[in-house]
Amino acid sequence: MIKFKLKQTALLAAVLAISFACQEQNDVVTPELQDVPKEILDQIDALGFNSNEVKMHDGMLFIEGDIAISVEELKQMQPGKDLAVEEHYSTDNLVSGSPRTINVYVNMPQKYLDATDIAISRYNSEGLNLTFQRVTSSGSADITITASPWYYYWFGILGSAGFPTASGDPHNQILMTRAYYDGVSNINGLATTIAHEMGHCIGFRHTDYMDRSYSCGGAADDEGDGGVGDNYIPGTPTGPDANSWMLACGSPEGDRPFTANDKIALDYLY
Ligand SMILES: [Zn+2]
């Protein structure tokens, strides 16, 4: 009898705890956007980014939609020298030491492992000097793919990445937003976003960085040089490339395998 009552009490407590947790979650509907200090906006302007596009939360800046850099990293970035007007672009820093194998570790549910395998096979079937392979331990990882913080969903960020380091290593982290992808049925859309973020990690900028409205809609908007370089890749066409995997905006279910021009760009860099 006592045991039963205890059980009941425990159950009631659990129910109360759950409803309280839900209510708490409901209270926090949107992340708090920090005001970006003027000196940081000035630096963003000087680097050639559009400072109207910047979001800041928890000490992190979100530029170009899906490039996550810390305030400290931004302060170390120097204004770039080139001003490109063409199509398919890379950063100044690329992954060095090729031929080279890049180990990718996925710390997420099975769907994300499967999608990463598709993304990896798309790269590897191009016969590049970079080979990607998925590894099962974080210790040997060059790039770790893990879940993004909850507020990414509210910012509309499908995933984020960064650019290669000055010493020639790929950016080491990709964050994926589970709220967008846990429920999708077309895993190729998830594979496309992972391939897109991998593209940033090895030095690709957005194909339509000169006018994000091409894929994102809204007003024409140049992302600028961004201090990381926007080097034109010879052999790729002028004007935004429809269906490129490096377009700035996409939808969670949208599959964009490499186009003919994407393949030229990949082959040229690696
Ligand atoms: Zn991107």
Side-chain angles (χ1 to χ4, degrees), residues 142-208:
D142 297 298
I143 299 172
T144 296
I145 302 179
T146 189
S148 66
W150 64 277
Y151 57 81
Y152 269 48
Y153 176 75
W154 298 100
F155 289 168
I157 303 171
L158 302 177
S160 76
F163 295 122
T165 65
S167 53
D169 289 316
H171 182 75
N172 62 5
Q173 189 181 54
I174 292 172
L175 300 176
M176 294 298 299
T177 304
R178 291 187 59 180
Y180 285 114
Y181 286 107
D182 276 9
V184 295
S185 50
N186 182 1
I187 197 174
N188 289 320
L190 175 54
T192 294
T193 300
I194 291 173
H196 176 103
E197 305 307 341
M198 287 166 69
H200 285 312
C201 289
I202 62 172
F204 281 91
R205 292 199 61 184
H206 289 144
T207 314
D208 57 343

Coordinates of all heavy atoms in Angstrom, one line a residue, residues 142-208:
D142 N 39.3 15.2 -38.1 CA 39.6 16.5 -38.6 C 38.4 17.4 -38.6 O 38.5 18.6 -38.3 CB 40.1 16.5 -40.1 CG 41.4 15.6 -40.2 OD1 42.4 16.0 -39.6 OD2 41.3 14.6 -40.9
I143 N 37.2 16.9 -38.8 CA 36.0 17.6 -38.8 C 35.0 16.8 -37.9 O 34.8 15.6 -38.1 CB 35.4 17.8 -40.2 CG1 36.3 18.6 -41.1 CG2 34.0 18.5 -40.1 CD1 35.9 18.7 -42.5
T144 N 34.4 17.5 -36.9 CA 33.4 16.8 -36.1 C 32.0 17.4 -36.4 O 31.9 18.7 -36.5 CB 33.7 17.0 -34.6 OG1 34.9 16.3 -34.3 CG2 32.6 16.4 -33.8
I145 N 31.1 16.6 -36.7 CA 29.7 17.0 -37.0 C 28.8 16.7 -35.8 O 28.8 15.6 -35.3 CB 29.1 16.3 -38.2 CG1 30.0 16.6 -39.5 CG2 27.7 16.8 -38.5 CD1 29.5 15.9 -40.7
T146 N 28.2 17.8 -35.2 CA 27.4 17.6 -34.0 C 26.2 18.6 -34.0 O 26.1 19.4 -35.0 CB 28.3 17.8 -32.8 OG1 27.6 17.5 -31.6 CG2 28.8 19.3 -32.6
A147 N 25.3 18.4 -33.1 CA 24.1 19.2 -33.1 C 24.3 20.6 -32.8 O 25.1 20.9 -31.9 CB 23.1 18.6 -32.1
S148 N 23.6 21.5 -33.5 CA 23.8 22.9 -33.2 C 23.0 23.3 -32.0 O 22.1 22.6 -31.6 CB 23.3 23.7 -34.4 OG 21.9 23.6 -34.6
P149 N 23.3 24.5 -31.3 CA 22.5 24.9 -30.2 C 21.1 25.2 -30.6 O 20.8 25.5 -31.8 CB 23.2 26.2 -29.7 CG 24.4 26.3 -30.6 CD 24.4 25.3 -31.7
W150 N 20.2 25.2 -29.6 CA 18.7 25.3 -29.9 C 18.4 26.6 -30.7 O 17.5 26.6 -31.5 CB 17.9 25.3 -28.6 CG 18.3 26.5 -27.7 CD1 19.3 26.6 -26.8 CD2 17.5 27.7 -27.6 NE1 19.3 27.8 -26.2 CE2 18.2 28.5 -26.7 CE3 16.4 28.2 -28.2 CZ2 17.8 29.8 -26.3 CZ3 15.9 29.5 -27.9 CH2 16.6 30.3 -27.0
Y151 N 19.1 27.7 -30.5 CA 18.7 28.9 -31.1 C 19.0 29.0 -32.6 O 18.5 29.9 -33.3 CB 19.4 30.1 -30.4 CG 20.9 30.1 -30.3 CD1 21.6 30.5 -31.4 CD2 21.5 29.7 -29.2 CE1 23.0 30.5 -31.4 CE2 22.9 29.6 -29.1 CZ 23.6 30.1 -30.2 OH 25.0 30.0 -30.2
Y152 N 19.8 28.0 -33.1 CA 20.0 28.0 -34.6 C 18.6 27.9 -35.3 O 18.4 28.5 -36.4 CB 20.8 26.8 -35.0 CG 22.3 27.0 -35.1 CD1 22.9 27.7 -34.0 CD2 23.0 26.6 -36.1 CE1 24.3 27.8 -34.1 CE2 24.4 26.8 -36.2 CZ 25.0 27.4 -35.1 OH 26.4 27.6 -35.2
Y153 N 17.7 27.2 -34.8 CA 16.4 27.0 -35.4 C 15.7 28.3 -35.6 O 15.1 28.6 -36.6 CB 15.5 26.0 -34.6 CG 14.1 25.9 -35.1 CD1 13.9 25.1 -36.2 CD2 13.1 26.5 -34.5 CE1 12.6 25.0 -36.7 CE2 11.8 26.3 -34.9 CZ 11.5 25.6 -36.1 OH 10.3 25.5 -36.6
W154 N 15.8 29.1 -34.5 CA 15.1 30.4 -34.5 C 15.8 31.4 -35.5 O 15.2 32.4 -35.9 CB 15.0 31.0 -33.1 CG 14.2 30.1 -32.2 CD1 14.7 29.2 -31.3 CD2 12.8 30.0 -32.2 NE1 13.7 28.5 -30.8 CE2 12.5 29.0 -31.3 CE3 11.8 30.6 -32.9 CZ2 11.2 28.6 -31.0 CZ3 10.5 30.3 -32.6 CH2 10.2 29.3 -31.7
F155 N 17.1 31.2 -35.7 CA 17.8 32.0 -36.7 C 17.6 31.5 -38.1 O 18.1 32.1 -39.0 CB 19.3 32.1 -36.3 CG 19.6 32.9 -35.1 CD1 20.9 32.8 -34.6 CD2 18.7 33.7 -34.5 CE1 21.2 33.5 -33.4 CE2 19.0 34.4 -33.3 CZ 20.3 34.3 -32.8
G156 N 17.0 30.4 -38.3 CA 16.8 29.8 -39.6 C 18.1 29.2 -40.2 O 18.3 29.1 -41.4
I157 N 19.0 28.8 -39.3 CA 20.3 28.2 -39.8 C 20.2 26.7 -39.8 O 20.0 26.0 -38.8 CB 21.4 28.7 -38.8 CG1 21.5 30.2 -38.7 CG2 22.7 28.1 -39.3 CD1 22.5 30.7 -37.7
L158 N 20.3 26.2 -41.1 CA 20.2 24.7 -41.2 C 21.4 24.0 -40.7 O 21.3 22.9 -40.1 CB 20.1 24.4 -42.7 CG 18.9 25.0 -43.5 CD1 19.0 24.6 -45.0 CD2 17.6 24.5 -42.9
G159 N 22.6 24.6 -40.9 CA 23.8 24.1 -40.4 C 24.9 25.2 -40.4 O 24.6 26.2 -41.1
S160 N 26.0 25.0 -39.8 CA 27.0 26.1 -39.9 C 28.4 25.4 -39.9 O 28.6 24.3 -39.6 CB 27.0 27.1 -38.7 OG 27.5 26.5 -37.5
A161 N 29.3 26.2 -40.4 CA 30.7 25.8 -40.5 C 31.6 27.0 -40.5 O 31.2 28.1 -40.2 CB 31.0 25.0 -41.8
G162 N 32.9 26.8 -40.8 CA 33.8 27.9 -40.9 C 34.8 27.7 -42.1 O 34.6 26.7 -42.8
F163 N 35.8 28.4 -42.2 CA 36.8 28.3 -43.3 C 38.1 27.7 -42.8 O 38.4 27.7 -41.6 CB 37.0 29.7 -43.9 CG 35.8 30.2 -44.5 CD1 35.3 31.5 -44.2 CD2 35.1 29.5 -45.5 CE1 34.2 32.0 -44.8 CE2 34.0 30.0 -46.1 CZ 33.5 31.3 -45.8
P164 N 38.9 27.2 -43.7 CA 40.2 26.6 -43.3 C 41.1 27.5 -42.5 O 41.0 28.8 -42.6 CB 40.9 26.2 -44.7 CG 39.8 26.1 -45.6 CD 38.7 27.1 -45.2
T165 N 42.0 27.0 -41.7 CA 42.9 27.8 -40.9 C 44.1 28.3 -41.8 O 44.3 27.7 -42.9 CB 43.5 26.9 -39.8 OG1 44.3 25.9 -40.4 CG2 42.4 26.3 -38.9
A166 N 44.8 29.3 -41.3 CA 45.9 29.8 -42.0 C 47.0 28.7 -42.1 O 47.8 28.8 -43.0 CB 46.5 31.0 -41.2
S167 N 47.0 27.7 -41.2 CA 48.1 26.7 -41.3 C 47.6 25.5 -42.2 O 48.3 24.5 -42.3 CB 48.4 26.2 -39.9 OG 47.2 25.8 -39.3
G168 N 46.5 25.7 -42.9 CA 46.1 24.7 -44.0 C 45.3 23.5 -43.5 O 45.3 22.5 -44.2
D169 N 44.7 23.6 -42.4 CA 43.8 22.6 -41.9 C 42.3 23.0 -42.2 O 42.0 24.1 -42.2 CB 44.0 22.3 -40.4 CG 45.3 21.7 -40.1 OD1 45.7 20.8 -40.8 OD2 45.9 22.2 -39.1
P170 N 41.5 21.9 -42.4 CA 40.1 22.3 -42.6 C 39.5 22.8 -41.3 O 40.0 22.5 -40.3 CB 39.4 20.9 -43.0 CG 40.4 19.9 -42.4 CD 41.8 20.5 -42.5
H171 N 38.4 23.6 -41.5 CA 37.7 24.0 -40.3 C 37.2 22.8 -39.6 O 36.8 21.8 -40.2 CB 36.5 24.9 -40.7 CG 35.7 25.4 -39.5 ND1 36.2 26.4 -38.7 CD2 34.5 25.1 -39.0 CE1 35.4 26.6 -37.7 NE2 34.3 25.8 -37.8
N172 N 37.3 22.8 -38.3 CA 37.1 21.5 -37.6 C 35.7 21.2 -37.0 O 35.5 20.2 -36.4 CB 38.1 21.4 -36.4 CG 37.9 22.5 -35.4 OD1 36.9 23.3 -35.5 ND2 38.7 22.6 -34.4
Q173 N 34.7 22.0 -37.3 CA 33.4 21.7 -36.7 C 32.3 22.1 -37.7 O 32.3 23.2 -38.3 CB 33.2 22.5 -35.4 CG 32.0 22.1 -34.7 CD 31.8 22.9 -33.4 OE1 31.9 24.1 -33.4 NE2 31.7 22.2 -32.3
I174 N 31.3 21.2 -37.8 CA 30.0 21.5 -38.5 C 28.9 21.3 -37.5 O 28.9 20.3 -36.8 CB 29.9 20.5 -39.7 CG1 30.9 20.8 -40.8 CG2 28.4 20.6 -40.2 CD1 30.9 19.8 -41.9
L175 N 28.0 22.2 -37.4 CA 26.9 22.1 -36.5 C 25.6 22.0 -37.3 O 25.4 22.8 -38.2 CB 26.8 23.4 -35.6 CG 28.0 23.6 -34.6 CD1 27.8 24.9 -33.9 CD2 28.2 22.4 -33.7
M176 N 24.8 21.0 -37.0 CA 23.6 20.7 -37.8 C 22.4 20.9 -36.9 O 22.4 20.5 -35.8 CB 23.6 19.3 -38.4 CG 24.7 19.1 -39.4 SD 24.5 20.1 -40.9 CE 22.9 19.5 -41.5
T177 N 21.3 21.5 -37.5 CA 20.1 21.8 -36.7 C 19.1 20.7 -36.8 O 18.4 20.5 -37.8 CB 19.5 23.2 -37.2 OG1 20.6 24.2 -37.1 CG2 18.4 23.6 -36.3
R178 N 19.0 19.9 -35.7 CA 18.1 18.8 -35.7 C 16.7 19.1 -35.9 O 15.9 18.3 -36.4 CB 18.4 18.0 -34.4 CG 19.7 17.3 -34.3 CD 19.9 16.4 -33.1 NE 18.9 15.4 -33.2 CZ 18.7 14.4 -32.2 NH1 19.6 14.4 -31.2 NH2 17.8 13.5 -32.3
A179 N 16.3 20.3 -35.4 CA 14.9 20.7 -35.5 C 14.4 20.7 -37.0 O 13.3 20.5 -37.3 CB 14.6 22.0 -34.9
Y180 N 15.4 20.9 -37.9 CA 15.0 21.0 -39.3 C 15.1 19.6 -40.0 O 14.5 19.3 -41.0 CB 16.0 21.9 -40.1 CG 15.7 23.4 -39.9 CD1 16.6 24.2 -39.3 CD2 14.5 23.9 -40.4 CE1 16.3 25.5 -39.1 CE2 14.2 25.3 -40.2 CZ 15.2 26.1 -39.5 OH 14.9 27.4 -39.4
Y181 N 16.0 18.7 -39.4 CA 16.4 17.5 -40.2 C 15.9 16.2 -39.5 O 15.8 15.2 -40.2 CB 17.9 17.5 -40.4 CG 18.3 18.5 -41.4 CD1 19.0 19.6 -41.1 CD2 18.0 18.2 -42.8 CE1 19.3 20.5 -42.1 CE2 18.3 19.1 -43.8 CZ 19.0 20.3 -43.4 OH 19.4 21.2 -44.4
D182 N 15.6 16.2 -38.3 CA 15.2 14.9 -37.6 C 14.0 14.3 -38.3 O 13.9 13.1 -38.4 CB 14.9 15.1 -36.1 CG 16.2 15.1 -35.3 OD1 17.3 15.1 -35.9 OD2 16.1 15.1 -34.1
G183 N 13.1 15.2 -38.8 CA 11.9 14.6 -39.4 C 11.8 14.5 -40.9 O 10.8 14.1 -41.5
V184 N 12.9 14.9 -41.6 CA 12.8 14.9 -43.1 C 12.8 13.5 -43.6 O 13.4 12.6 -43.0 CB 14.0 15.7 -43.7 CG1 13.9 17.2 -43.4 CG2 15.3 15.1 -43.4
S185 N 12.1 13.3 -44.7 CA 12.1 12.0 -45.3 C 13.2 11.9 -46.4 O 13.7 10.8 -46.7 CB 10.7 11.7 -45.9 OG 10.3 12.8 -46.7
N186 N 13.5 13.0 -47.1 CA 14.5 13.0 -48.1 C 15.9 13.2 -47.5 O 16.3 14.3 -47.3 CB 14.2 14.0 -49.2 CG 15.2 14.0 -50.3 OD1 16.1 13.2 -50.4 ND2 15.0 14.9 -51.3
I187 N 16.6 12.1 -47.3 CA 17.9 12.2 -46.7 C 19.0 12.9 -47.6 O 20.0 13.4 -47.1 CB 18.4 10.8 -46.3 CG1 19.6 10.9 -45.2 CG2 18.8 10.0 -47.5 CD1 20.0 9.6 -44.7
N188 N 18.7 12.9 -48.9 CA 19.6 13.6 -49.8 C 19.7 15.1 -49.6 O 20.7 15.8 -49.8 CB 19.2 13.3 -51.3 CG 19.5 11.9 -51.6 OD1 20.5 11.3 -51.3 ND2 18.6 11.3 -52.4
G189 N 18.6 15.7 -49.1 CA 18.6 17.1 -48.7 C 19.6 17.3 -47.5 O 20.3 18.3 -47.5
L190 N 19.5 16.4 -46.6 CA 20.4 16.5 -45.4 C 21.9 16.3 -45.9 O 22.8 17.0 -45.5 CB 20.0 15.4 -44.4 CG 20.9 15.2 -43.2 CD1 21.2 16.5 -42.4 CD2 20.3 14.2 -42.2
A191 N 22.1 15.3 -46.8 CA 23.4 15.1 -47.3 C 23.9 16.4 -48.1 O 25.1 16.7 -48.0 CB 23.4 13.9 -48.3
T192 N 23.0 17.1 -48.8 CA 23.4 18.3 -49.5 C 23.9 19.4 -48.5 O 24.9 20.0 -48.8 CB 22.2 18.8 -50.3 OG1 21.9 17.9 -51.3 CG2 22.6 20.2 -51.0
T193 N 23.2 19.5 -47.4 CA 23.6 20.6 -46.4 C 24.9 20.2 -45.8 O 25.8 21.0 -45.6 CB 22.5 20.8 -45.4 OG1 21.3 21.2 -46.0 CG2 23.0 21.9 -44.4
I194 N 25.1 18.9 -45.5 CA 26.4 18.4 -44.9 C 27.5 18.7 -45.9 O 28.6 19.2 -45.6 CB 26.3 17.0 -44.4 CG1 25.4 16.9 -43.2 CG2 27.7 16.4 -44.1 CD1 25.1 15.5 -42.8
A195 N 27.3 18.3 -47.2 CA 28.3 18.6 -48.2 C 28.6 20.0 -48.4 O 29.7 20.4 -48.6 CB 27.8 18.0 -49.6
H196 N 27.5 20.9 -48.2 CA 27.7 22.3 -48.3 C 28.6 22.8 -47.2 O 29.6 23.5 -47.4 CB 26.3 23.0 -48.2 CG 26.3 24.5 -48.1 ND1 26.0 25.3 -49.2 CD2 26.6 25.4 -47.1 CE1 26.1 26.5 -48.9 NE2 26.5 26.6 -47.7
E197 N 28.4 22.4 -45.9 CA 29.2 22.8 -44.8 C 30.6 22.2 -44.9 O 31.6 22.9 -44.6 CB 28.6 22.4 -43.5 CG 27.1 22.9 -43.3 CD 26.9 24.4 -43.4 OE1 27.9 25.1 -43.4 OE2 25.7 24.8 -43.6
M198 N 30.7 21.0 -45.5 CA 32.1 20.5 -45.7 C 32.8 21.3 -46.7 O 34.0 21.5 -46.6 CB 32.0 19.0 -46.2 CG 31.6 18.0 -45.2 SD 31.0 16.4 -45.9 CE 32.6 15.8 -46.6
G199 N 32.0 21.9 -47.7 CA 32.6 22.7 -48.7 C 33.2 24.0 -48.1 O 34.3 24.4 -48.4
H200 N 32.5 24.6 -47.1 CA 33.1 25.7 -46.4 C 34.4 25.3 -45.7 O 35.4 26.0 -45.7 CB 32.1 26.3 -45.4 CG 31.0 27.1 -46.0 ND1 31.2 28.1 -46.9 CD2 29.6 27.0 -45.7 CE1 30.0 28.6 -47.2 NE2 29.0 28.0 -46.5
C201 N 34.3 24.1 -45.0 CA 35.5 23.7 -44.2 C 36.7 23.6 -45.0 O 37.8 23.7 -44.5 CB 35.2 22.3 -43.5 SG 34.0 22.4 -42.2
I202 N 36.6 23.3 -46.3 CA 37.8 23.2 -47.2 C 38.0 24.4 -48.1 O 38.8 24.4 -48.9 CB 37.7 21.9 -48.1 CG1 36.5 21.9 -49.0 CG2 37.7 20.6 -47.2 CD1 36.6 20.7 -50.1
G203 N 37.2 25.5 -47.8 CA 37.5 26.7 -48.5 C 36.6 27.3 -49.5 O 36.9 28.3 -50.2
F204 N 35.4 26.7 -49.7 CA 34.5 27.2 -50.7 C 33.6 28.3 -50.0 O 33.1 28.1 -48.9 CB 33.6 26.1 -51.3 CG 34.3 25.3 -52.3 CD1 35.0 24.1 -52.0 CD2 34.2 25.7 -53.6 CE1 35.6 23.4 -53.0 CE2 34.9 25.0 -54.6 CZ 35.6 23.8 -54.3
R205 N 33.5 29.4 -50.7 CA 32.5 30.4 -50.3 C 31.2 30.1 -51.1 O 31.1 29.3 -52.0 CB 33.0 31.8 -50.6 CG 34.2 32.2 -49.8 CD 34.4 33.7 -49.7 NE 33.3 34.3 -49.2 CZ 33.2 35.7 -49.1 NH1 34.2 36.4 -49.6 NH2 32.1 36.2 -48.6
H206 N 30.2 30.9 -50.8 CA 28.9 30.8 -51.5 C 29.0 31.1 -52.9 O 29.6 32.1 -53.3 CB 27.8 31.6 -50.8 CG 27.4 31.1 -49.5 ND1 27.1 31.9 -48.4 CD2 27.3 29.8 -49.0 CE1 26.8 31.2 -47.4 NE2 26.9 29.9 -47.7
T207 N 28.4 30.3 -53.8 CA 28.4 30.5 -55.2 C 27.8 31.8 -55.6 O 28.2 32.5 -56.5 CB 27.7 29.4 -55.9 OG1 28.1 28.1 -55.3 CG2 27.9 29.3 -57.4
D208 N 26.8 32.2 -54.8 CA 26.0 33.4 -55.1 C 26.3 34.5 -54.0 O 25.5 35.3 -53.7 CB 24.5 33.1 -55.2 CG 24.0 32.5 -53.9 OD1 24.7 31.9 -53.1 OD2 22.7 32.5 -53.7

